[in-house]
Amino acid sequence: MDNNHPFSVFSGTSTRYLAEEICNSLGCSLGKMNVQKFADGEFGISYEESIRGHYVFLVQSTFPNADNLMELLLMIDAAKRASAQKIIAVIPYFGWARQDRKDKPRVAIGAKLVADMLTAAGIDRLITMDLHADQIQGFFNVPVDHLYASTVFLPYIHSMKLEDLVIASPHVGGSKRANSYSKYLGCPMVLCHKSREKANVVSEMTIIGDVKGKNVIILDDMVDTAGTLTKAADIMTNAGAKSVRAVVTHPVMSDPASTRVDESSLTELIFSNSIPFNKSCKKAHVISIADMFADTIRRVHSGDSISEQYLI
């Protein structure tokens, strides 16, 4: 690399699998760090090698439980106190992103709170992917590199060579993402309109557009309990769709998501490895984002543009 400052990559406990892949792609070793745990659940972080003057990249998705976020905050603070030159948080899945605004009275804006905590801890930059809401970038007063999983998903969609392809969004909020894919692939787009009784419970869903005789790919930024995805797939199948697949960035996959997916009319559920997925799901297909993040880390360290990564 051209940059005069050395760089180091460290990982939180829950995202080590991905950090190791990223380091393999970079051709470097994962930094040595110790997590000391106490009997009451408290834990402490210490770096086992010098990072003075380094560009330090800290890889950790902040999915629940809150220990993952707290671990990252302690990693940032320890790096700052160890005289790191720059501290870059690499957060493939940015948790609490669904709380991005006040949608009813007397609620917290969790995404802004997390942004404030990361900034106060001392990050100089954030690298993340497919935020639940684009405006979360504005919650930070440091540069944000917002990557898109389309970089790895589109080549896979091309490789399937599906005829009569239709791109679908399971909710109106995802229409921008679906529209970008449909324009790039040169195919039609359909929308699902849903109403909820409460969080994770869909009461009613209707399709806006024609799916009869089509191979449908549903796009979303995350799958939690899979209620929306599987209901959309079943409705589209009943409406005459030839096949229905789902391409989702972040596999939250809370129970009973795996069971719902396997029992649904979905042909395949494709997602990234931004969150560790250790459950059994016969229809799941995981695509690694390690090379994309490794290339971004390389470019950030050398001061090169990352815009070449964006297919759409």
Side-chain angles (χ1 to χ4, degrees):
M1 295 186 181
D2 297 330
N3 198 295
N4 292 325
H5 292 284
F7 80 100
S8 301
V9 179
F10 293 89
S11 170
T13 304
S14 298
T15 318
R16 186 179 179 90
Y17 71 97
L18 179 57
E20 288 175 344
E21 282 191 48
I22 290 171
C23 286
N24 287 337
S25 184
L26 285 168
C28 69
S29 299
L30 184 63
K32 296 176 182 177
M33 189 183 73
N34 182 52
V35 181
Q36 181 183 8
K37 295 186 180 294
F38 301 95
D40 63 352
E42 183 181 335
F43 52 86
I45 302 291
S46 62
Y47 293 97
E48 301 299 299
E49 59 189 72
S50 175
I51 55 173
R52 183 179 293 273
H54 286 215
Y55 273 52
V56 177
F57 294 87
L58 306 177
V59 183
Q60 178 80 313
S61 285
T62 55
F63 56 95
N65 61 38
D67 282 1
N68 293 313
L69 174 59
M70 190 64 198
E71 192 175 82
L72 176 58
L73 292 170
L74 289 173
M75 289 164 64
I76 295 165
D77 188 69
K80 180 175 65 176
R81 297 176 190 279
S83 301
Q85 175 71 20
K86 295 285 184 182
I87 302 169
I88 300 96
V90 181
I91 308 178
Y93 171 70
F94 187 90
W96 285 270
R98 283 175 281 188
Q99 300 178 51
D100 63 301
R101 66 196 186 282
K102 284 189 70 174
D103 56 354
K104 59 182 179 181
R106 299 177 296 281
V107 296
I109 303 180
K112 179 65 169 70
L113 176 61
V114 172
D116 287 344
M117 287 192 290
L118 291 168
T119 303
I123 65 168
D124 296 290
R125 190 180 202 95
L126 169 67
I127 302 174
T128 188
M129 178 180 68
D130 279 8
L131 289 166
H132 187 66
D134 287 346
Q135 68 264 24
I136 292 173
Q137 296 172 74
F139 294 171
F140 290 87
N141 291 321
V142 297
V144 177
D145 294 312
H146 185 205
L147 307 181
Y148 297 116
S150 56
T151 303
V152 296
F153 288 151
L154 282 169
Y156 182 77
I157 292 172
H158 276 301
S159 72
M160 288 190 285
K161 297 180 180 179
L162 296 173
E163 297 180 354
D164 301 315
L165 181 63
V166 167
I167 296 297
S169 172
H171 48 81
V172 176
S175 59
K176 181 181 176 182
R177 179 184 292 104
N179 186 51
S180 297
Y181 274 74
S182 68
K183 282 185 176 179
Y184 184 86
L185 295 167
C187 64
M189 179 184 82
V190 301
L191 294 175
C192 295
H193 180 266
K194 66 180 180 181
S195 58
R196 289 189 184 274
E197 291 180 359
K198 57 183 179 179
N200 296 129
V201 179
V202 178
S203 60
E204 187 178 353
M205 180 179 289
T206 55
I207 304 170
I208 304 171
D210 182 25
V211 297
K212 188 174 183 179
K214 307 292 185 181
N215 289 302
V216 182
I217 293 180
I218 304 172
L219 299 174
D220 211 349
D221 65 303
M222 69 172 69
V223 52
D224 191 348
T225 61
T228 298
L229 272 184
T230 53
K231 188 163 188 171
D234 292 343
I235 290 173
M236 289 176 182
T237 300
N238 292 335
K242 196 182 299 182
S243 69
V244 183
R245 292 170 174 82
V247 174
V248 180
T249 304
H250 306 296
V252 179
M253 295 295 283
S254 306
D255 289 332
S258 294
T259 302
R260 281 178 173 170
V261 169
D262 282 338
E263 293 178 353
S264 74
S265 57
L266 277 172
T267 302
E268 188 178 21
L269 172 61
I270 302 122
F271 49 70
S272 81
N273 59 344
S274 63
I275 299 174
F277 180 70
N278 303 313
K279 299 176 182 178
S280 176
C281 183
K282 297 175 183 177
K283 296 182 180 180
H285 179 86
V286 183
I287 298 179
S288 178
I289 52 174
D291 288 344
M292 179 175 69
F293 273 88
D295 185 57
T296 303
I297 287 172
R298 189 181 293 112
R299 289 170 184 264
V300 167
H301 178 254
S302 61
D304 294 332
S305 170
I306 68 167
S307 59
E308 293 177 8
Q309 284 198 343
Y310 297 103
L311 295 181
I312 55 175

